[in-house]
Amino acid sequence: MGSSNTGGGKDDSPPDGAKAQAARSGSESPDDAAAATYSEGEKVFAYHGPAIYEAKVQKSELRKDEWKYFVHYLGWSKNWDEWVGTDRLLKFTEENKQKQQALKKHSNADKSAKSGRTTQNKPKGSSVARGKKRKGQSSIEEKETRSPEKAFTIQFPLTLKKQLVDDWEFVTQLGKLVKLPRTPNVDEILKKYLEYRSKKDGMVTESVAEILKGIRCYFDKALLSMLLYKKERQQYHEVVTDNIAPSTIYGAEHLLRLFVKLPELLAYVNMEEEALTKLQQKLLDFLKFLQKNQSLFFLSTYESSMDVDEADEEE
C-alpha cells in the first residue's frame, strides 16, 4: 500500500506515510524468520517521508532479532544512504510500482492545483523535501510556497500510519464503508481529549480549547471537499442533512485524514515561527492520544456498501 494524500474524490490514492509492512504479503513479523527478507544487491522500493523511492540494498544485518538494511536511494547522493527496518521496504514488483506512480501522480496533482504548474516528484526535487528528509521527518505535505524553515509538518505515530493505509484499503480497494453514525464521533473524541488534558494539566488551558475548536471547524468544512474518497460521497449526502454537523456523525477514521491535510490547510496561515512550533507539538500530542485509544476510537473492520445500505433501510 503506497502512500499519498487522502484526497476528497480525486484519484483515491493511498494516504501519506503508509507503513510498508502493511503492503507486503506474508507474515506480519517477517523479522521473526531466520533469513533476511531482502538480500544484498536487491532492488527494492523504500519509504522516506511521504514518498516511495527506488533503492538498492547494500548491506543487511540482524540486530537484536530484527533485520536492518543499508539502502542507497537510486538517483540520490550517497549522503542519503541509511539503515532502515523491514517496515520501510517493499518488494520491487509491478504492483508496488503502480502504487508508487499513483502516489507521485496524486502528489503532483495536489501541488499543481495549488501552484498552477506541474511539479515533478523526483529524488532531486524540491529543496523543501530534501531539507526535511535530512531531519528524518515524515512530512505529510511539503509546501513549495513556504521556505524550509517555515514548512509545517506533522509526524504521525507509526500505528496511525498503518491505520491510514487500512482505511484506504477498506474503502478504495475492498469497496467497504464506515458505518455511520460513528461512536464516538469527532465531537466526542475532542471532548475526551480536552478532559484528558484537563486532568493531566490540572486545568483547562485556553490554547488547547481553541485548537480543538479549530480542528472541529476545519473538519466540518473540509470533509466533503478534501477528506472523502469518491465511493463515500453518496453516503455523505445521505447522512449529512438538515445542517447537521459532520463532526457529530463521523468518527476517528475521517478525523485522522484531516491531520494528513492540515499542513496544506495551514500553509498560508500567518503565524510566527514559535507559534507554529507550539501548534505542531499540540497536534502531535493529540495524535498520540488517538494512538493510545486506537482500539477504542477506530473500527477494526468496515462494512460493504451493500451492508450499509441494507442496514439503513431496516432502520
Side-chain angles (χ1 to χ4, degrees):
M1 297 73 211
S3 59
S4 172
N5 297 316
T6 308
K10 293 184 180 178
D11 62 7
D12 286 357
S13 299
D16 280 313
K19 186 180 179 185
Q21 187 172 353
R24 302 180 42 222
S25 59
S27 168
E28 179 69 14
S29 301
D31 295 326
D32 292 339
T37 306
Y38 302 93
S39 58
E40 295 181 10
E42 181 178 352
K43 191 174 182 181
V44 296
F45 286 115
Y47 283 95
H48 207 309
I52 303 174
Y53 300 102
E54 294 183 8
K56 186 176 182 179
V57 176
Q58 308 279 45
K59 307 174 188 175
S60 61
E61 288 184 9
L62 185 60
R63 302 178 182 175
K64 297 181 180 179
D65 298 325
E66 181 181 0
W67 282 101
K68 295 290 185 180
Y69 305 91
F70 190 73
V71 298
H72 169 67
Y73 296 94
L74 302 182
W76 289 67
S77 163
K78 289 185 178 180
N79 292 333
W80 302 121
D81 291 3
E82 62 178 338
W83 288 97
V84 301
T86 309
D87 63 340
R88 290 269 301 278
L89 300 179
L90 288 166
K91 286 291 185 179
F92 198 83
T93 64
E94 184 62 30
E95 180 185 4
N96 290 330
K97 184 176 182 179
Q98 290 175 0
K99 290 167 186 172
Q100 180 202 35
Q101 292 173 345
L103 163 61
K104 178 180 177 181
K105 176 182 176 183
H106 189 68
S107 177
N108 288 346
D110 275 357
K111 290 180 180 179
S112 179
K114 279 290 182 182
S115 66
R117 67 180 186 276
T118 301
T119 59
Q120 295 297 320
N121 186 19
K122 294 182 178 179
K124 296 181 179 179
S126 88
S127 59
V128 176
R130 291 184 61 145
K132 291 304 169 186
K133 183 180 185 303
R134 169 72 75 175
K135 297 178 182 178
Q137 293 181 333
S138 243
S139 166
I140 303 303
E141 177 82 7
E142 297 294 348
K143 301 308 296 180
E144 292 187 340
T145 52
R146 298 181 71 96
S147 65
E149 298 78 28
K150 295 183 179 180
F152 187 91
T153 62
I154 301 176
Q155 189 167 1
F156 276 59
L158 190 60
T159 58
L160 293 186
K161 291 180 184 179
K162 186 178 185 302
Q163 186 74 48
L164 284 166
V165 177
D166 292 342
D167 177 54
W168 170 81
E169 263 197 295
F170 277 128
V171 179
T172 68
Q173 304 302 296
L174 302 179
K176 296 180 180 292
L177 298 175
V178 173
K179 179 67 170 65
L180 301 174
R182 285 287 287 116
T183 301
N185 59 37
V186 171
D187 273 1
E188 291 167 341
I189 291 173
L190 295 177
K191 289 176 183 176
K192 288 179 184 293
Y193 177 73
L194 188 59
E195 293 171 0
Y196 160 76
R197 287 301 334 168
S198 299
K199 290 180 181 178
K200 193 168 185 178
D201 301 335
M203 59 180 290
V204 178
T205 59
E206 185 176 345
S207 61
V208 172
E210 286 301 313
I211 288 173
L212 295 181
K213 287 180 182 178
I215 291 175
R216 183 183 188 276
C217 182
Y218 271 120
F219 181 84
D220 286 337
K221 291 184 177 181
L223 180 65
L224 179 60
S225 61
M226 302 180 73
L227 307 183
L228 294 179
Y229 292 117
K230 292 178 182 179
K231 295 179 181 180
E232 297 176 307
R233 289 180 168 274
Q234 181 179 346
Q235 183 191 37
Y236 172 90
H237 291 297
E238 291 172 352
V239 298
V240 180
T241 58
D242 300 325
N243 296 320
I244 296 176
S247 54
T248 64
I249 298 177
Y250 287 81
E253 297 78 20
H254 291 80
L255 177 60
L256 188 60
R257 297 182 199 176
L258 174 66
F259 280 76
V260 176
K261 285 293 185 180
L262 275 179
E264 178 180 336
L265 293 170
L266 296 172
Y268 302 104
V269 175
N270 187 17
M271 295 179 68
E272 294 293 332
E273 193 71 23
E274 183 178 352
L276 271 176
T277 300
K278 289 182 178 179
L279 177 59
Q280 285 175 301
Q281 292 172 346
K282 287 182 169 62
L283 293 176
L284 178 58
D285 185 71
F286 182 82
L287 285 176
K288 289 181 178 179
F289 174 75
L290 289 183
Q291 183 186 33
K292 289 178 182 177
N293 295 277
Q294 196 164 351
S295 62
L296 297 175
F297 291 168
F298 292 89
L299 290 172
S300 59
T301 184
Y302 296 11
E303 296 184 36
S304 71
S305 56
M306 184 177 297
D307 291 338
V308 172
D309 292 340
E310 290 176 353
D312 290 339
E313 289 176 5
E314 291 175 2
E315 294 176 0

